[in-house]
Amino acid sequence: MSTTSGATGPVVRAGGDFQEPPRTPGGVALCGACRERGTCRLGVERERLDEDGVARFALTCPRDQEGGPDVAHGGWTAAVLDDCLGHLPLLHRVLSVTAELTVSFVKPVPVGRPLEVSARVERREGSRWYITGEMVLLPTRAVLARASGIWVTRDQGHFARHADWLAEQDER
Ligand SMILES: CCCCCCCCCCCCCC(=O)SCCNC(=O)CCNC(=O)[C@H](O)C(C)(C)COP(=O)(O)OP(=O)(O)OC[C@H]1O[C@@H](n2cnc3c(N)ncnc32)[C@H](O)[C@@H]1OP(=O)(O)O
């Protein structure tokens, strides 16, 4: 585990903090590089788990994620859906990683406009979480994108095992 200094204080790179990652004042769990800046670089501003089991995220596509004129790059849409849906196990204090992700791009996503992503667990089988979600434009709630995928529960050794695997690759 390595520790560096960031905008929100010491940044733990890999270790036992995955179930309780640092969060922004809006409750957004921060991963990797975002811990150093203290905000989500994808533009997620607030997250919460509601009593109906649905996680809801307030977000805006940042201008620097523009693809076509005034609309998001599709990679941003896929990344933010991956991120938000992957936060749902985390909101249950479970670390998981994406094994599969399918995205339907229903409409171009406008840059700089209020959006909402919602995510729900459809079912759990063994260590697999089947999660679906959608992105809507506010305030009309017009659907812009849908996603579904499988997240696989990991223990805290996941990233250390990956580092070992990578070292073996480097020795070849
Ligand atoms: C990222 C966290 C950061 C910290 C927190 C900050 C918050 C941010 C959070 C942001 C979150 C953003 C999210 C991100 O961006 S996460 C980053 C993107 N994803 C990855 O890096 C994952 C890379 N892949 C792997 O590590 C492995 O292939 C995994 C772990 C997926 C499986 O590895 P492995 O094969 O060795 O595992 P196993 O043999 O123990 O099997 C375990 C179970 O998995 C089932 N299975 C396997 N593959 C698939 C598949 N393709 N479809 C369906 N199921 C699959 C398998 O049947 C078994 O099921 P069960 O029989 O147990 O039920």
Side-chain angles (χ1 to χ4, degrees):
M1 175 161 46
S2 69
T3 305
T4 59
S5 188
T8 56
V11 176
V12 179
R13 280 292 185 192
D17 65 332
F18 294 119
Q19 282 82 359
E20 294 292 351
R23 292 183 180 272
T24 68
V28 180
L30 294 174
C31 53
C34 293
R35 296 182 183 194
E36 302 205 21
R37 42 181 282 166
T39 58
C40 171
R41 64 193 184 282
L42 294 175
V44 182
E45 295 147 4
R46 291 189 303 281
E47 81 174 65
R48 67 170 195 267
L49 179 61
D50 286 334
E51 286 184 0
D52 58 2
V54 177
R56 293 185 172 86
F57 304 82
L59 68 159
T60 304
C61 177
R63 172 63 56 188
D64 64 5
Q65 299 295 329
E66 183 183 44
D70 290 324
V71 297
H73 194 291
W76 176 84
T77 304
V80 82
L81 285 165
D82 177 36
D83 192 58
C84 291
L85 272 58
H87 279 206
L88 189 42
L90 206 54
L91 286 163
H92 292 277
R93 306 189 72 228
V94 173
L95 171 66
S96 67
V97 293
T98 319
E100 295 181 9
L101 179 68
T102 300
V103 178
S104 298
F105 299 89
V106 179
K107 290 278 189 190
V109 176
V111 166
R113 296 278 295 268
L115 309 169
E116 183 186 279
V117 167
S118 57
R120 69 180 69 235
V121 179
E122 296 296 334
R123 66 184 191 280
R124 290 178 64 175
E125 288 177 12
S127 62
R128 284 162 286 150
W129 295 58
Y130 292 78
I131 301 176
T132 60
E134 65 179 21
M135 179 185 293
V136 299
L137 178 68
L138 297 179
T140 62
R141 310 200 70 80
V143 175
L144 304 175
R146 294 189 181 91
S148 62
I150 301 171
W151 277 257
V152 175
T153 301
R154 308 313 289 163
D155 62 30
Q156 292 178 3
H158 173 76
F159 293 106
R161 286 193 298 277
H162 171 69
D164 291 344
W165 174 86
L166 193 57
E168 285 172 16
Q169 297 292 307
D170 290 342
E171 285 168 8
R172 291 189 174 188

